[in-house]
Amino acid sequence: DQQVKQNSPSLSVQEGRISILNCDYTNSMFDYFLWYKKYPAEGPTFLISISSIKDKNEDGRFTVFLNKSAKHLSLHIVPSQPGDSAVYFCAASAHGTYKYIFGTGTRLKVLA
Amino acid sequence: DTAVSQTPKYLVTQMGNDKSIKCEQNLGHDTMYWYKQDSKKFLKIMFSYNNKELIINETVPNRFSPKSPDKAHLNLHINSLELGDSAVYFCASSRDNRGVKGYTFGSGTRLTVV
């Protein structure tokens, strides 16, 4: 039972345009969410987080939106750059637990 | 100066062998983790230690045993390796046991059991 789903395995976007990566979850107890970026042969790198008390968090070119009623979050990258080409994972955690459940990732390719 | 370093990067071994993967972090973080990424790319937590105390022990075979000699180190020992143990194993650390500022991951150890 995959509680965190990233239904798009891959996404291609032109440089300079917006990249939107989606993540859905099923557990209503999740209250904290993280996004990671992963390059080949490296470990995931933390990008941005959001708590369930917010519906938006912004950090430079990266914005995460949370829709609790739909159990959906998305990561927006504007403008997209070739260096953003990587696999992006979302992860969710429930209060009182010490672990994150990861999605299977979306491979983003930003075309120059 | 790598923040979370794990060794070896690659490990090829025969079924039935015992092997260890080492992890060290120099960030002063209190919590360390072992994650397994399988062939379907699922990243699943295996263990977590907070200040040398085990706080997460997921359903993994007891052939897998973590050892934390101090809060900067979390090693993973695997007995009687099986083909299904082939995966990439990631060590990670975080400032707190909730990881609200995210984890810092090592670059992974690709284990291949033949």
Side-chain angles (χ1 to χ4, degrees), chain B residues 56-77:
Chain B
I56 295 175
N57 185 355
E58 288 295 285
T59 310
V60 298
N62 57 14
R63 299 182 292 105
F64 289 79
S65 54
K67 285 190 173 45
S68 182
D70 55 60
K71 78 172 195 178
H73 295 84
L74 180 61
N75 303 323
L76 183 65
H77 189 77

Side-chain angles (χ1 to χ4, degrees), chain B residues 15-77:
Chain B
M15 274 173 41
N17 283 351
D18 303 340
K19 290 292 177 187
S20 292
I21 307 172
K22 295 186 175 181
C23 180
E24 176 182 2
Q25 55 98 2
N26 62 6
L27 298 165
H29 286 171
D30 285 340
T31 310
M32 295 186 72
Y33 311 83
W34 277 109
Y35 272 81
K36 177 182 178 181
Q37 186 177 35
D38 61 22
S39 56
K40 294 183 179 175
K41 306 301 180 189
F42 286 111
L43 257 172
K44 289 185 181 173
I45 190 161
M46 300 173 70
F47 302 104
S48 173
Y49 270 75
N50 180 255
N51 278 318
K52 295 170 40 180
E53 183 183 341
L54 182 67
I55 58 171
I56 295 175
N57 185 355
E58 288 295 285
T59 310
V60 298
N62 57 14
R63 299 182 292 105
F64 289 79
S65 54
K67 285 190 173 45
S68 182
D70 55 60
K71 78 172 195 178
H73 295 84
L74 180 61
N75 303 323
L76 183 65
H77 189 77

Side-chain angles (χ1 to χ4, degrees), chain A residues 2 31-32 34 36 38 41-46 49 89 93-104, chain B residues 9-10 33 35 37 40-43 45 48 55-56 58 90 97-103 105-108:
Chain A
Q2 187 63 10
D31 68 343
Y32 209 84
L34 307 175
Y36 287 85
K38 186 182 180 305
E42 294 183 14
T45 304
F46 170 69
S49 64
F89 292 95
S93 172
H95 180 71
T97 71
Y98 301 110
K99 63 182 182 182
Y100 283 87
I101 308 296
F102 280 75
T104 49
Chain B
K9 194 167 177 65
Y10 299 97
Y33 311 83
Y35 272 81
Q37 186 177 35
K40 294 183 179 175
K41 306 301 180 189
F42 286 111
L43 257 172
I45 190 161
S48 173
I55 58 171
I56 295 175
E58 288 295 285
F90 288 99
N97 59 18
R98 183 81 200 272
V100 294
K101 298 289 186 185
Y103 299 165
F105 279 88
S107 57

